[in-house]
Amino acid sequence: MSDFTSEFWHYWVAGVTLISILACFFLLWYSGKVDVKSNEGNSTGHVWDEDMTELNNPLPKWWVYMFVITLLFGLIYALLYPMLGKFPGLLNWTSAGQYQAEKEANLAEVAPKFAAFSQMPVEQLARDPAALQIGESLFMNNCAVCHAVDARGSLTFPNLTDGDWLWGGDPEAIKVSITQGRVAVMPPLAEAVGTPDDVTNVAHYVMSLSGAPHDSVRAAAGKANFATCIACHGAEGKGNTAMGAPNLTDDVWLHGFGVDAVVRSINMGIMNVMPPQNVLLSEDQIHVLTAYVWAKSNPAPN
Ligand code: HEC
Ligand code: HEC
């Protein structure tokens, strides 16, 4: 809808539009009425290239009618559609309304298909080519911006194909992740751990958990301080899907690999957000998406 900051602009736009159209009518009427004095033989007296004379003939009828028709068209259009300031037009047409209507028509068309899908369990849907195709287009439109077109993610955006899950990889957990979103929080812990040296030592210990290159003396020194971390990451550092705390013993690094990256995570903390999708997608669409995502790490046995 038209959003004017003041009444003035409404009247200004509507006024200028109407006056312009009416002025054209007036011009046409007036120019047909006044009798312009002409010289002998109807000439305006203008001559070019020695013998080309400009005459003062009336406008051709067909031209006048065309002009009147375009003006009438403009007037009728202005009455039917939102053109005169904030006047909505007799048809009450809006681009948003048209979009909504088209969207609803589209949804109605695919509704039977989705109704059938919603009856099928995720594991079965994940083997259904038609469902996977719809899942793929939903994923491209809604998820690929963050998780990448191949669902392999990037720094801070998790890979959804590797079977490594922050919040759990069974259909239920995946569906909750998509529907409600997820907020992963690791507070800054430098002070809890101790001196900067202690922090570096814990980081070396974390690297040792996955067998990554580390200083074993520092890692041994850092082991005790890992106590600060076990509430979330577990005593063995294997993570906890209840709070999205990742497994630190594998070689998947969502927030960067290496001692420096771990030190940064401890010092700055981490806040990572997956926005809820139920504001954008219907339950049926999320059901199909769940199957699409689940299939990525559970390919059909052949
Ligand atoms: C704005 C970016 C963004 C969009 C859009 C987005 N995600 Fe996410 N998603 C994330 C982030 C970031 C995380 C990780 C949250 C965390 O650290 O716990 C995540 C986590 C997830 C998880 C949990 C992963 C795990 O390891 O447990 C799933 C499943 C998921 N997303 C699926 C989807 C699907 C399907 C869509 C599309 C409907 C989608 N996401 C759209 C950013 C996004
Ligand atoms: C309050 C719970 C909590 C505590 C305590 C905690 N973490 Fe975390 N940590 C998390 C969460 C949640 C994430 C995952 C953020 C995400 O999903 O994006 C995380 C992520 C990490 C990562 C990034 C892993 C990756 O894949 O890139 C590292 C490294 C890490 N934590 C190390 C530690 C260390 C070391 C400690 C102890 C000093 C610690 N954490 C204490 C909750 C915690």
Side-chain angles (χ1 to χ4, degrees):
M1 282 309 294
S2 37
D3 296 315
F4 290 104
T5 49
S6 74
E7 284 289 293
F8 170 78
W9 292 113
H10 157 58
Y11 288 113
W12 172 263
V13 170
V16 168
T17 310
L18 279 179
I19 289 171
S20 309
I21 296 179
L22 294 178
C24 287
F25 271 119
F26 175 77
L27 188 68
L28 196 63
W29 169 79
Y30 181 77
S31 63
K33 213 164 159 55
V34 286
D35 208 6
V36 181
K37 288 256 175 309
S38 62
N39 301 324
E40 211 177 317
N42 208 18
S43 162
T44 57
H46 300 156
V47 179
W48 288 276
D49 290 345
E50 294 179 2
D51 60 349
M52 228 167 131
T53 322
E54 183 185 346
L55 303 183
N56 188 20
N57 287 331
L59 292 162
K61 279 271 181 312
W62 67 265
W63 191 93
V64 174
Y65 290 142
M66 289 286 280
F67 194 56
V68 171
I69 289 172
T70 55
L71 289 177
L72 287 176
F73 178 88
L75 267 185
I76 295 171
Y77 192 94
L79 285 179
L80 294 180
Y81 288 97
M83 184 167 133
L84 299 174
K86 65 181 184 189
F87 173 60
L90 296 176
L91 292 181
N92 263 320
W93 179 93
T94 62
S95 53
Q98 180 174 349
Y99 169 75
Q100 197 61 29
E102 283 172 12
K103 198 172 136 185
E104 271 159 26
N106 240 322
L107 281 180
E109 198 184 308
V110 294
K113 228 175 201 172
F114 275 109
F117 289 156
S118 69
Q119 301 302 316
M120 291 158 72
V122 167
E123 291 87 342
Q124 188 187 343
L125 211 51
R127 305 289 175 252
D128 184 314
L132 290 181
Q133 204 180 352
I134 293 181
E136 177 164 23
S137 82
L138 285 171
F139 191 89
M140 293 308 154
N141 285 323
N142 298 282
C143 325
V145 275
C146 292
H147 292 286
V149 287
D150 57 2
R152 290 178 182 278
S154 61
L155 197 68
T156 80
F157 299 109
N159 183 340
L160 302 176
T161 71
D162 60 2
D164 179 60
W165 298 95
L166 294 160
W167 301 92
D170 57 274
E172 267 325 295
I174 294 176
K175 191 176 267 187
V176 173
S177 292
I178 302 173
T179 308
Q180 303 173 2
R182 298 289 195 184
V183 181
V185 182
M186 166 163 150
L189 290 165
E191 267 174 46
V193 170
T195 66
D197 216 38
D198 294 332
V199 171
T200 308
N201 290 347
V202 182
H204 279 277
Y205 176 71
V206 169
M207 297 316 289
S208 77
L209 291 175
S210 57
H214 62 279
D215 179 326
S216 50
V217 177
R218 277 184 170 270
K223 185 173 178 172
N225 270 328
F226 192 73
T228 324
C229 322
I230 60 176
C232 299
H233 290 284
E236 293 171 354
K238 288 194 188 296
N240 181 350
T241 51
M243 53 185 73
N247 185 344
L248 301 176
T249 68
D250 58 17
D251 55 2
V252 178
W253 298 95
L254 188 57
H255 297 275
F257 171 77
V259 170
D260 289 349
V262 178
V263 167
R264 190 180 58 237
S265 293
I266 298 173
N267 287 340
M268 317 276 287
I270 294 172
M271 166 99 172
N272 211 22
V273 178
M274 154 89 189
Q277 300 295 306
N278 59 356
V279 285
L280 301 166
L281 299 168
S282 72
E283 222 171 284
D284 290 344
Q285 287 174 315
I286 291 177
H287 188 63
V288 173
L289 266 171
T290 303
Y292 177 79
V293 170
W294 186 82
K296 290 274 174 198
S297 52
N298 296 274
N302 40 24

